[in-house]
Amino acid sequence: FIGVPFPSLLGIFAYLISKYNLASHQPEELVKQKNDLYREFAPDRLCLFPGFTELLSFLYPAYQIALTTSSWSSSQQSVFEKFKLDSFFETIVTREMVTYGKPHPEPYLLTLERLGIAPQEAIVIEDSINGISAAKSAGITTIAVTHSYPREKLNQADYIVDSLHEVK
């Protein structure tokens, strides 16, 4: 995916309509249905990773905290609303704010720019292979958490932990 423009949700649905001959559907209609389903089902199923609240309390307000996510802003906002997280994050970079998504470094480079810091002044906590790749390509030290992938898949990170409790 490096070097390939990040597809929009409309583009993804247009591709699926074409590939699977779903001419009776429109991309805009499918995006709306997807967003409606997310708003209906996700809030009751959302939960924070164990140790997240404690880590956030430890870091805030001593450090600038940012979120660099591959999620759409609507999904990010749902999570922030449910868990009252808005006041903790100085900046947020979501999928639609960049041309190239993770594993390309653009999302993290934009985050650094918004924070006004150099890569060597930042630490990224990631749980995805693409996220670690993006952060490393941006020149940022990374801590991988084994929430989504086993330790051996996250070996590009500078540090690997099994829980957010270990990050402090």
Side-chain angles (χ1 to χ4, degrees):
F1 287 62
I2 293 180
V4 177
F6 209 70
S8 69
L9 197 52
L10 280 172
I12 291 168
F13 280 122
Y15 168 78
L16 292 172
I17 288 167
S18 171
K19 180 171 175 70
Y20 295 104
N21 197 22
L22 303 170
S24 63
H25 298 283
Q26 295 299 314
E28 297 82 6
E29 164 200 340
L30 294 177
V31 169
K32 182 183 179 322
Q33 288 178 10
K34 178 254 175 215
N35 290 337
D36 289 347
L37 286 169
Y38 180 84
R39 279 191 292 281
E40 181 179 347
F41 294 108
D44 293 338
R45 292 172 173 81
L46 292 175
C47 62
L48 297 173
F49 284 119
F52 178 82
T53 304
E54 295 86 352
L55 180 59
L56 192 60
S57 296
F58 173 76
L59 296 173
Y60 183 85
Y63 298 93
Q64 292 179 296
I65 302 173
L67 174 68
T68 307
T69 179
S70 294
S71 294
W72 301 97
S73 61
S74 58
S75 298
Q76 172 268 313
Q77 289 167 2
S78 294
V79 173
F80 274 46
E81 285 172 18
K82 178 171 181 164
F83 297 106
K84 313 281 188 264
L85 298 173
D86 284 317
S87 63
F88 295 99
F89 291 81
E90 187 158 326
T91 193
I92 298 162
V93 173
T94 58
R95 175 180 269 185
E96 65 269 25
M97 295 177 182
V98 295
T99 302
Y100 302 101
K102 299 174 187 177
H104 194 280
E106 183 186 3
Y108 280 113
L109 293 173
L110 178 57
T111 302
L112 292 169
E113 180 183 315
R114 288 175 156 207
L115 290 173
I117 63 172
Q120 62 271 18
E121 298 175 282
I123 295 176
V124 165
I125 302 168
E126 261 291 351
D127 69 340
S128 76
I129 297 165
N130 283 346
I132 292 165
S133 202
K136 295 301 293 175
S137 293
I140 305 170
T141 298
T142 58
I143 300 171
V145 185
T146 60
H147 289 148
S148 304
Y149 294 92
R151 184 174 283 271
E152 58 273 8
K153 298 273 187 184
L154 303 171
N155 60 6
Q156 187 182 2
D158 297 291
Y159 305 96
I160 303 173
V161 297
D162 295 315
S163 162
L164 289 173
H165 293 288
E166 297 175 53
V167 173
K168 290 195 286 189

